[in-house]
Amino acid sequence: MRNWIQTSAAFVRRYPAAWICVGIFAAVELFARIAPVEYGMGAAVFLTKHRRDLVDASGPDFDYIIFGESRSLSLLGHAPTGPENWSVYNLSLPAMGSRYYSYYLEKYLANRYNKPSALIFAGDMAVFQEGWNLPLHDPARIYTDSREDTLLQYLSHRIVRRPAQGLSPPPAAANAPQEAIWETYSHRYLFLFSPAELMHQFHGAERLFVLREAAPLQYYTFRYRDALRYFLSNPFPQAAEPLPAECRLCANSYAPMCRPDLTQFQDNAALAAGLDARYGQINLGDRLTLEQVMSYSVIRDRLVKDTQDFFNRIRPDLRPLIALLETARRAGVPVVLAPTPTVREYRDTRFYKEIEAQLPGILARYPEAHRIDFAEPHLPAERFVDQIHYDCAGAEQVNADFYRTVMPQVLRVAPPAQGRRLRALDSEL
């Protein structure tokens, strides 16, 4: 033992610079793991981390949870109050596609004693499009026939198909959109799920691709490198002053007093406080500047026309919805489909018509699932800032409709029943 200590001490004396570097790295890694450095990250990463912390926690249990995307994120949650002694928490995440929903539900249920009385799926049905469902490692499907291909099949296809392709490059038009989606939004998956959870979700070559992307993020020094740089330049961040009560009114959305210049830390702190107070809600349209809103309004007609053309080209892929319904059935959680209102001009596009044609057959196989429509499922384009997210008035209208039309029916088909033991998921989950 003494010889080992002497040898180690001699090694440290011989290479002091190396050990100093190791010590600095270890100290920074420890700091990144115990300090709330996520407050120095961009709002998109912070929101994902906030969701993960809530879902991974052992409570609280909510009577109803909302899944969806960036538009349904505008739905206000509901705290138990007086005669309305039930809770709604909005767990929507922007720009994550549709494949993760069933695993998101598994993740939530695994850490809860009581299952929710219902899962309300309020996302735009546009998330169930083919483009969000392509293999991440090979979006052009040059060597991959489907997401279920094994690694052996993928390698076999590369051996067989590669010589046939010769030196011709892959079709850029086919894979560019999906590659852009992964480059822009991959942090959603990588910050929401652990490597073990990702192993469960992906298969074959796609699993290797995702795990390769996730591996470096297990070092928090790398995961939060942008936040660490932020705190080095802002070592003593100050909390922002609370906004005046008048800022809650849509008429004051862009008043200077309601639009203070915030640091990244202050913006994320305000975001966290708002999410906690509104049970997970934030209207992303309200985060745009007045200049951005004005720019979108100038090109609104062109945006609507371009999006109409897009929805007339693409096709739906409802496999992720079926996977969510299967997971919910095994867990004994009813599902309510209540898509948030979309732009009126998109209603008659081929994509939405095909969705409407396929949904009845799917719901017939899952009688425990229900569909509840908003009183106004389509709104004029003027109620959307960028033809995706609501403006302040649009969000107010949709929330009033949700609690006046949708929630009363949800309470009727799936009444709140706190205190029920969370039934263990079977081995298929």
Side-chain angles (χ1 to χ4, degrees):
M1 182 67 178
R2 180 180 298 176
N3 289 338
W4 182 85
I5 295 175
Q6 291 175 344
T7 302
S8 300
F11 186 80
V12 171
R13 288 194 299 270
R14 186 173 181 181
Y15 303 104
W19 285 103
I20 290 173
C21 291
V22 170
I24 292 174
F25 177 82
V28 174
E29 179 72 12
L30 180 62
F31 173 78
R33 287 181 178 273
I34 63 177
V37 293
E38 64 270 16
Y39 282 84
M41 298 293 286
V45 172
F46 180 81
L47 173 61
T48 307
K49 177 66 164 55
H50 189 277
R51 287 286 192 257
R52 177 171 179 169
D53 289 345
L54 177 68
V55 172
D56 280 346
S58 57
D61 297 335
F62 303 108
D63 292 289
Y64 304 97
I65 55 175
I66 297 174
F67 279 10
E69 33 65 66
S70 59
R71 184 181 300 151
S72 63
L73 192 59
S74 302
L75 292 177
L76 285 163
H78 183 277
T81 53
E84 296 180 335
N85 192 29
W86 39 267
S87 58
V88 180
Y89 199 96
N90 193 336
L91 288 170
S92 297
L93 271 168
M96 266 199 69
S98 55
R99 292 172 60 177
Y100 78 102
Y101 287 128
S102 61
Y103 306 112
Y104 198 29
L105 179 59
E106 287 181 21
K107 187 177 178 70
Y108 178 85
L109 294 177
N111 297 295
R112 293 303 186 278
Y113 182 83
N114 295 302
K115 61 188 176 185
S117 295
L119 161 64
I120 303 170
F121 182 83
D124 185 348
M125 298 304 287
V127 297
F128 298 110
Q129 56 183 270
E130 289 179 324
W132 281 106
N133 224 1
L134 297 173
L136 297 175
H137 67 294
D138 186 16
R141 286 181 284 194
I142 301 173
Y143 307 114
T144 307
D145 293 328
S146 74
R147 287 171 12 211
E148 289 72 33
D149 281 5
T150 65
L151 180 59
L152 183 61
Q153 288 174 312
Y154 174 75
L155 294 175
S156 174
H157 292 160
R158 286 194 69 95
I159 294 172
V160 173
R161 297 177 186 177
R162 184 60 180 166
Q165 292 170 354
L167 299 178
S168 59
N175 61 17
Q178 183 67 12
E179 288 180 353
I181 286 172
W182 179 252
E183 288 295 325
T184 306
Y185 303 119
S186 60
H187 63 273
R188 302 278 201 265
Y189 264 105
L190 302 179
F191 279 79
L192 183 64
F193 295 109
S194 69
E197 290 168 332
L198 293 172
M199 278 278 292
H200 173 51
Q201 298 177 28
F202 297 94
H203 308 279
E206 190 175 32
R207 174 187 287 171
L208 294 181
F209 170 81
V210 173
L211 292 179
R212 184 199 69 187
E213 298 285 304
L217 298 182
Q218 305 320 300
Y219 293 96
Y220 280 37
T221 307
F222 180 79
R223 177 190 289 243
Y224 295 117
R225 57 195 183 279
D226 293 335
L228 292 171
R229 281 195 292 266
Y230 170 81
F231 281 111
L232 284 175
S233 58
N234 300 274
F236 302 104
Q238 300 294 318
E241 294 293 328
L243 295 177
E246 296 88 333
C247 294
R248 299 172 189 167
L249 302 175
C250 286
N252 297 325
S253 295
Y254 300 102
M257 65 178 178
C258 302
R259 291 280 177 156
D261 290 330
L262 300 179
T263 65
Q264 191 67 65
F265 175 88
Q266 291 172 331
D267 184 45
N268 284 332
L271 177 60
L275 291 171
D276 293 339
R278 298 185 297 270
Y279 273 47
Q281 182 266 0
I282 179 173
N283 182 39
L284 295 185
D286 293 339
R287 290 181 62 85
L288 298 180
T289 66
L290 180 58
E291 291 76 12
Q292 289 173 316
V293 172
M294 295 299 293
S295 298
Y296 280 121
S297 67
V298 171
I299 59 173
R300 176 181 294 134
D301 292 342
R302 180 165 62 83
L303 284 175
V304 171
K305 179 63 169 60
D306 290 345
T307 308
Q308 278 182 305
D309 293 340
F310 175 74
F311 283 133
N312 278 318
R313 291 195 309 269
I314 65 171
R315 307 297 296 270
D317 183 350
L318 294 178
R319 287 178 297 167
L321 175 60
I322 295 172
L324 174 62
L325 295 175
E326 285 285 351
T327 300
R329 167 182 279 180
R330 293 195 296 267
V333 176
V335 176
V336 174
L337 296 182
T340 46
T342 187
V343 179
R344 187 174 294 162
E345 285 81 357
Y346 306 159
R347 174 175 48 193
D348 295 325
T349 58
R350 184 177 76 169
F351 177 84
Y352 282 100
K353 285 183 176 179
E354 291 188 6
I355 287 282
E356 291 300 319
Q358 295 179 31
L359 272 181
I362 293 175
L363 293 178
R365 288 151 43 196
Y366 298 92
E368 67 278 7
H370 308 272
R371 177 172 177 176
I372 300 174
D373 290 323
F374 281 71
E376 294 187 51
H378 302 91
L379 299 178
E382 291 77 15
R383 291 280 67 85
F384 298 81
V385 176
D386 51 4
Q387 308 319 301
I388 300 174
H389 307 106
Y390 302 117
D391 65 2
C392 184
E396 284 192 345
Q397 178 179 344
V398 168
N399 274 290
D401 194 354
F402 180 72
Y403 283 101
R404 183 178 59 247
T405 303
V406 177
M407 275 310 300
Q409 297 184 65
V410 173
L411 293 169
R412 186 164 59 252
V413 300
Q418 284 289 354
R420 293 184 299 179
R421 176 80 183 184
L422 175 60
R423 188 165 61 192
L425 302 181
D426 61 23
S427 58
E428 294 182 76
L429 295 182

